[in-house]
Amino acid sequence: MLWSGLILLAYPRSKGRYSLLLSQALFRNGYSVSSDSIIRPALDYYASHGSDFDKMLSHYYYGEALREYATKQEALMELEKAANYGRKIGDKFYLARMLTTISSLNQSDYNGEDGLRAAEESKRLYHELNDAEGEFYADVMIACAYQCLNRYNVSKQLFKLLYCKVDSINSGYRVNLDEYYATLLMKMKDYTRSKSIFDSLYSHHPEVFTSFNRHIYAQLCLYDKDFETAKQVID
């Protein structure tokens, strides 16, 4: 069996299929990669062979891999290629997921307009799929996109609506809402309420503290003359 499997992998088609399936398995199980060595055979093979669905997935997983070790623009370029194939074949399931990632990457690159467009398209697709959790997450991305566009009052109203329904969707999402909402409150110069939310997150959910969140929280602690906590956060 081992030798037969190795012989099959000598053929480009089998190698491309194995590469795609392995990339898919790693992504779905939360493993990160540090190069394109795993997905590259699939990209090379499906560039001129296979269905548009295979091409979509190869660019999708390549884009997700690039998020780990390359620039945002390189990742976005591959994800946009995947999304175009998704639109072409009408695959709402994958397209909705790609678009939330595209929205997030655009926003992290301070491109709120493209981030908003992607999130709104994603929301429509999740709605058509009757995927309430997906639609909720797309709504979060929309609220964040308005924050990125400095339309803080619109973003704040959207977050209030999201808080009203989060527990009926998935109470676990409340932590993410708190994280994004606290950032919004800081931008609106409501430092006291923002710090209060971050205090709670820091005590009960330290896993959400990316370097960006640590920077914001440290600033809030300094505003509040809470120098000890600021030092802990920075260290």
Side-chain angles (χ1 to χ4, degrees):
M1 290 295 292
L2 175 61
W3 283 109
S4 62
L6 292 174
I7 291 170
L8 280 174
L9 288 179
Y11 293 93
R13 179 181 178 182
S14 298
K15 193 173 182 180
R17 173 57 57 185
Y18 177 79
S19 165
L20 186 58
L21 291 175
L22 179 57
S23 297
Q24 186 176 55
L26 290 171
F27 174 71
R28 288 183 174 179
N29 286 282
Y31 290 97
S32 60
V33 296
S34 58
S35 75
D36 67 352
S37 59
I38 295 175
I39 191 64
R40 175 54 60 185
L43 283 167
D44 292 343
Y45 179 76
Y46 292 120
S48 55
H49 302 85
S51 65
D52 285 340
F53 179 76
D54 294 324
K55 297 178 195 298
M56 175 190 74
L57 288 185
S58 63
H59 286 293
Y60 177 36
Y61 293 122
Y62 184 36
E64 289 289 355
L66 287 173
R67 292 179 65 190
E68 300 293 332
Y69 67 88
T71 66
K72 295 172 188 174
Q73 288 304 314
E74 288 175 301
L76 273 170
M77 184 171 66
E78 289 302 316
L79 289 167
E80 289 287 4
K81 289 178 183 177
N84 286 335
Y85 278 114
R87 293 185 185 97
K88 180 179 178 182
I89 64 178
D91 193 306
K92 298 177 183 179
F93 179 86
Y94 280 103
L95 181 56
R97 285 154 178 77
M98 293 173 204
L99 288 166
T100 51
T101 303
I102 288 170
S103 176
S104 178
L105 283 172
N106 273 304
Q107 291 180 52
S108 66
D109 206 30
Y110 304 101
N111 185 349
E113 291 184 1
D114 285 344
L116 180 59
R117 274 194 292 269
E120 288 178 335
E121 186 180 355
S122 176
K123 173 183 169 64
R124 177 180 59 79
L125 292 169
Y126 277 123
H127 182 75
E128 292 173 3
L129 290 166
N130 293 315
D131 185 337
E133 285 196 27
E135 187 174 354
F136 181 86
Y137 185 68
D139 278 329
V140 173
M141 287 294 98
I142 290 171
C144 290
Y146 278 111
Q147 181 183 155
C148 187
L149 290 166
N150 299 326
R151 296 178 63 180
Y152 299 145
N153 288 326
V154 175
S155 181
K156 187 175 183 180
Q157 290 303 314
L158 291 174
F159 273 116
K160 286 182 177 180
L161 293 173
L162 289 165
Y163 272 113
C164 289
K165 61 182 180 180
V166 62
D167 290 329
S168 66
I169 300 295
N170 185 332
S171 59
Y173 290 155
R174 183 174 287 273
V175 173
N176 302 106
L177 282 185
D178 286 345
E179 175 191 358
Y180 298 136
Y181 189 54
T183 303
L184 172 65
L185 290 174
M186 182 186 179
K187 291 181 178 180
M188 297 182 76
K189 300 183 179 180
D190 190 344
Y191 302 132
T192 301
R193 291 175 64 200
S194 179
K195 183 175 183 295
S196 177
I197 295 173
F198 270 121
D199 283 339
S200 178
L201 288 172
Y202 190 65
S203 297
H204 303 292
H205 299 282
E207 69 277 4
V208 305
F209 274 79
T210 61
S211 57
F212 177 74
N213 287 340
R214 287 182 178 276
H215 175 73
I216 292 176
Y217 186 37
Q219 283 186 300
L220 289 166
C221 290
L222 292 174
Y223 289 143
D224 199 41
K225 295 184 171 54
D226 185 355
F227 302 119
E228 183 177 347
T229 303
K231 186 177 184 302
Q232 291 176 0
V233 173
I234 293 171
D235 291 342

